[in-house]
Amino acid sequence: MRSVLFASILGLVGAALLHIVIVLVLPQFTGRDAYTRVLGLLEMDSFFSLTSTPGPTGLSNDDPYLRTAVCSFSIADGPARFLASGSVPFWSLAVFDSSSNEVFSMNDHTAVNGRLDLVVATPIQLVELRKAPPKALAQSIMVEMKEEDGYAVLRAMAPLDSFEDQVRNFLAESRCEPFRR
């Protein structure tokens, strides 16, 4: 009797673990993970504003007070730089690797002078930048990312309709581009 109970409990635990693994790995097998969806926007190295209705990749902006833009990038050939400035009530940026692991996040309260100026680079690229830092990067925040591909999500808040134009301009003028010396 004891061995039957042990076998049943072991089977249930094994089945639960198997289901958890399947649920977590399924998006990567189906190509419906966040990174694949962002790549489907065909807007490499530039921010793409999301709309309230899902686009062809299924990405949409669901929050009524936040406007969202996404950018896919690669640091294989050099660092990536993210720039944005403007007067909006709140903004935040999150950088993810191709496995959708958050690498770095910040907002207007943690930025220098409330401006977004971020450089993402591989460890070797960061060493090179720190050896001879360009003057253009004097106020930049430098972030190390081990993987070469990733995406960034930039959000800006429009708590009232009167902020809508400011927020849309902030997202439209934001830049996600390869850094060139």
Side-chain angles (χ1 to χ4, degrees):
M1 179 69 178
R2 204 180 274 182
S3 62
V4 171
L5 182 62
F6 179 72
S8 297
I9 292 173
L10 188 62
L12 287 173
V13 170
L17 287 174
L18 179 65
H19 281 83
I20 290 170
V21 169
I22 288 172
V23 167
L24 293 176
V25 174
L26 190 62
Q28 292 172 342
F29 286 126
T30 62
R32 301 298 296 162
D33 62 315
Y35 179 65
T36 306
R37 289 178 181 204
V38 171
L39 284 179
L41 296 173
L42 302 174
E43 295 287 332
M44 191 77 156
D45 295 327
S46 65
F47 279 107
F48 181 82
S49 292
L50 301 179
T51 61
S52 58
T53 56
T57 63
L59 293 175
S60 64
N61 186 43
D62 295 333
D63 192 306
Y65 300 110
L66 286 177
R67 303 298 166 258
T68 306
V70 295
C71 169
S72 59
F73 63 91
S74 175
I75 56 175
D77 297 328
R81 190 170 188 191
F82 303 92
L83 298 165
S85 62
S87 178
V88 293
F90 173 81
W91 62 260
S92 70
L93 176 83
V95 177
F96 300 89
D97 63 17
S98 61
S99 298
S100 297
N101 297 313
E102 187 174 10
V103 175
F104 182 79
S105 65
M106 67 182 294
N107 60 45
D108 59 337
H109 297 292
T110 58
V112 177
N113 298 325
R115 296 184 58 198
L116 171 61
D117 188 354
L118 178 76
V119 174
V120 177
T122 64
I124 294 171
Q125 292 166 349
L126 271 181
V127 168
E128 293 298 318
L129 284 174
R130 288 184 176 138
K131 276 185 193 175
K135 288 188 182 194
L137 299 182
Q139 297 292 314
S140 298
I141 297 171
M142 296 193 198
V143 174
E144 178 180 308
M145 190 166 105
K146 291 180 179 29
E147 288 191 30
E148 293 181 343
D149 298 319
Y151 64 98
V153 179
L154 179 62
R155 295 179 183 97
M157 181 180 276
L160 301 170
D161 289 340
S162 60
F163 288 102
E164 195 67 36
D165 288 338
Q166 285 175 278
V167 168
R168 294 212 186 274
N169 288 339
F170 174 80
L171 293 176
E173 293 171 7
S174 60
R175 296 190 332 230
C176 161
E177 59 194 18
F179 175 71
R180 305 284 183 233
R181 287 185 177 249

